[in-house]
Amino acid sequence: MNIKFTAPFSKSFGLLKLLRLTSSSLPIGSFSYSQGLEYAVSRGWVKDSSTALDWIQGLMKNSLLHLEIPIFKRVYKAFEENEEESTQYWNAYLMASRDSYELQEEDRQQGKALARLLVELGLKEKEVYLCQPYGCFLTSFSLAAVRWEISLEDSVNGFLWMWAENQVLSATKLIPLGQTEGQKILSELIEIIPHISEKGLALDDEEIGYTAFGLGMASALHETQYTRLFRS
């Protein structure tokens, strides 16, 4: 039996595809990375829910707002307009902005894993990112958003949510925190995600870039940390 969907139901497909793209069950290995948080906890920089919130909020406001989000917009637009040169430029810019070998490897590995998944799901144009130079995770994420007809604003909010949730999950394991405390942190982050998204999307090219010494130091020093749960 053929079922015809009305417009409201058709619009919900984009939301469902975004939920899949941001799901913690997505097989890209995001659960194995803490982005320097493990070292920050081991040194006592992050030790409870309050300091965890400060750490995660600080990175969202100073790192993602000024780097990932404006680049997301440019890569998204480049895919929409089939501007391969622009895509490659911003992909390389983002990779060059990673402060440590671990952060670069995280981006390469997750980007490659997502590219491989998208190829299996029918986005054959991602095959180019299965060999060097690899695409960043954000590059693969934005291509999926464009091809699956997810709006730029929804895609960015979903990307920020996915990043924040993974950081909170890492904090609950490392500090450790209770699940309720983790949800309280997420409640705080939900309040600022739309503002991070709006400000990041409004930045001009010359405003792109960030300085986060704590993240850079933590991720670099994590490479030689004696005991580790996470790969970054």
Side-chain angles (χ1 to χ4, degrees):
M1 181 176 68
N2 293 325
I3 301 176
K4 294 184 178 180
F5 294 101
T6 59
F9 285 101
S10 299
K11 291 179 181 179
S12 68
F13 290 145
L15 172 60
L16 292 172
K17 290 175 180 178
L18 177 61
L19 291 173
R20 175 168 70 168
L21 194 56
T22 60
S23 171
S24 58
S25 67
L26 203 70
I28 57 173
S30 59
F31 62 88
S32 61
Y33 300 98
S34 77
Q35 295 196 351
L37 182 58
E38 183 166 28
Y39 184 84
V41 171
S42 73
R43 298 300 297 174
W45 302 349
V46 177
K47 56 188 176 182
D48 52 28
S49 60
S50 177
T51 51
L53 177 60
D54 288 342
W55 177 271
I56 298 169
Q57 272 189 339
L59 289 178
M60 291 185 74
K61 293 178 178 179
N62 295 287
S63 174
L64 277 79
L65 189 157
H66 293 281
L67 186 68
E68 279 88 346
I69 301 312
I71 290 181
F72 193 115
K73 175 182 178 180
R74 285 151 180 79
V75 175
Y76 185 100
K77 295 296 185 183
F79 278 127
E80 276 191 322
E81 299 166 7
N82 296 312
E83 295 181 353
E84 180 63 23
E85 184 176 346
S86 180
T87 302
Q88 294 293 343
Y89 173 82
W90 289 111
N91 181 77
Y93 188 106
L94 182 58
M95 184 61 71
S97 300
R98 298 309 182 198
D99 294 310
S100 69
Y101 173 78
E102 278 196 351
L103 292 177
Q104 289 183 348
E105 273 298 287
E106 175 183 349
D107 218 346
R108 275 191 288 264
Q109 293 298 326
Q110 289 200 78
K112 190 175 181 180
L114 182 54
R116 186 183 300 112
L117 174 64
L118 294 178
V119 168
E120 292 295 325
L121 294 177
L123 294 180
K124 298 300 183 182
E125 60 193 291
K126 286 303 298 181
E127 288 180 340
V128 67
Y129 294 115
L130 296 180
C131 56
Q132 293 183 340
Y134 301 123
C136 295
F137 173 73
L138 180 150
T139 306
S140 296
F141 190 102
S142 61
L143 173 63
V146 170
R147 298 297 182 254
W148 291 348
E149 299 181 346
I150 305 169
S151 72
L152 174 60
E153 291 76 12
D154 287 345
S155 301
V156 168
N157 285 331
F159 180 86
L160 286 168
W161 165 258
M162 183 182 192
W163 180 89
E165 184 181 37
N166 190 64
Q167 284 285 284
V168 171
L169 288 173
S170 297
T172 59
K173 295 176 184 177
L174 290 165
I175 295 174
L177 298 175
Q179 292 184 340
T180 300
E181 288 181 288
Q183 288 299 314
K184 289 179 179 179
I185 294 175
L186 284 173
S187 294
E188 295 287 339
L189 297 176
I190 286 173
E191 294 295 322
I192 68 169
I193 283 177
H195 303 289
I196 300 293
S197 175
E198 181 179 2
K199 291 181 179 179
L201 291 173
L203 293 182
D204 295 325
D205 286 1
E206 61 271 18
E207 296 177 288
I208 297 176
Y210 79 107
T211 301
F213 292 116
L215 172 63
M217 291 172 59
S219 61
L221 292 170
H222 184 265
E223 294 178 23
T224 56
Q225 187 170 327
Y226 180 64
T227 57
R228 302 189 297 178
L229 294 175
F230 295 88
R231 296 174 65 182
S232 74

